[in-house]
């Protein structure tokens, strides 16, 4: 059984040669060919439409991350995840249900932004929750930010 599982994962793993030749793993779903995205070896950069969506929403995501565990942050993160899943389907991508749930996709989005924040921190730029923790945001700033509804942006087709 473990051998079969390893074989299946290998069949769906993506390397740079597969990406260049557009031989991504596919599956017929509802008469449409969908590209599978698996948990192992998955990188947003291999799905440019989805990465462009995350980049377009980065500033708003980071603003909400400074609110740290508020209902506004939770609602925004859930809406962002829902919209990313819709966009993925529109672009012909499907997250493999064996490896992904709504929560795991949301966690992968969080990790994407966490990496961005950590990279910025190494360059001396403090953003998101780290800015709050460092005292760069006042309580007034946070209250004002909490009162602003979160926007979800779709990048232009040329992005």
């Amino acid at each position: 059984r473990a051998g079969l599982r390893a074989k299946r994962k290998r069949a769906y793993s993506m390397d740079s040669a597969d990406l260049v030749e557009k031989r991504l793993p596919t599956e017929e779903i509802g008469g449409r060919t969908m590209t599978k995205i698996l948990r192992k070896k998955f990188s947003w950069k291999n799905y440019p439409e989805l990465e462009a969506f995350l980049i377009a929403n980065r500033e708003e995501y980071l603003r909400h991350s400074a609110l740290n565990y508020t209902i506004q942050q939770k609602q925004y993160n859930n809406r962002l995840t829902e919209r990313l899943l819709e966009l993925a389907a529109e672009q012909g991508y499907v997250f493999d249900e064996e490896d992904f749930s709504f929560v795991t996709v949301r966690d992968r989005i969080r990790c994407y932004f966490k990496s961005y924040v950590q990279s910025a921190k190494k360059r001396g730029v403090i953003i998101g929750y780290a800015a709050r923790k460092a005292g760069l945001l006042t309580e007034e700033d946070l209250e004002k930010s909490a009162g602003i509804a979160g926007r979800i942006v779709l990048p232009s087709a040329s992005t």
Side-chain angles (χ1 to χ4, degrees):
R1 178 155 178 138
L4 177 63
R5 190 176 12 229
K7 187 175 182 180
R8 184 174 355 132
K9 288 200 184 243
R10 264 196 313 277
Y12 287 117
S13 70
M14 294 173 282
D15 62 1
S16 58
D18 286 339
L19 294 171
V20 170
E21 295 177 21
K22 300 290 184 196
R23 290 184 293 122
L24 296 170
T26 60
E27 176 177 294
E28 283 290 324
I29 298 176
R32 236 177 115 191
T33 300
M34 304 295 276
T35 301
K36 276 202 169 184
I37 300 174
L38 295 184
R39 181 173 234 176
K40 302 287 183 191
K41 311 257 182 195
F42 161 51
S43 173
W44 292 107
K45 70 179 179 178
N46 295 331
Y47 304 91
E49 304 90 347
L50 303 183
E51 185 176 38
F53 173 80
L54 294 174
I55 291 168
N57 288 285
R58 181 169 46 212
E59 188 174 323
E60 192 70 8
Y61 183 93
L62 295 173
R63 181 177 72 83
H64 279 83
S65 77
L67 299 175
N68 201 32
Y69 301 116
T70 61
I71 191 71
Q72 293 94 333
Q73 181 191 25
K74 183 177 181 177
Q75 289 172 345
Y76 178 80
N77 292 349
N78 286 339
R79 284 191 6 250
L80 187 71
T81 304
E82 288 169 5
R83 188 59 190 108
L84 180 121
L85 291 170
E86 291 168 6
L87 178 64
E90 290 166 15
Q91 295 297 323
Y93 301 125
V94 63
F95 288 86
D96 188 326
E97 292 179 9
E98 285 186 34
D99 290 311
F100 290 97
S101 66
F102 182 86
V103 172
T104 54
V105 173
R106 189 180 61 206
D107 287 347
R108 291 300 301 264
I109 292 170
R110 182 187 53 77
C111 290
Y112 176 82
F113 289 118
K114 183 179 177 183
S115 294
Y116 176 80
V117 169
Q118 289 171 339
S119 175
K121 187 176 179 182
K122 288 177 184 175
R123 296 186 317 269
V125 178
I126 300 174
I127 51 180
Y129 178 69
R132 177 183 183 171
K133 197 171 169 185
L136 300 174
L137 298 172
T138 65
E139 285 299 316
E140 186 179 318
D141 293 332
L142 294 170
E143 285 180 31
K144 183 179 176 186
S145 182
I148 300 170
R151 278 185 35 221
I152 295 177
V153 179
L154 283 177
S156 64
S158 62
T159 305

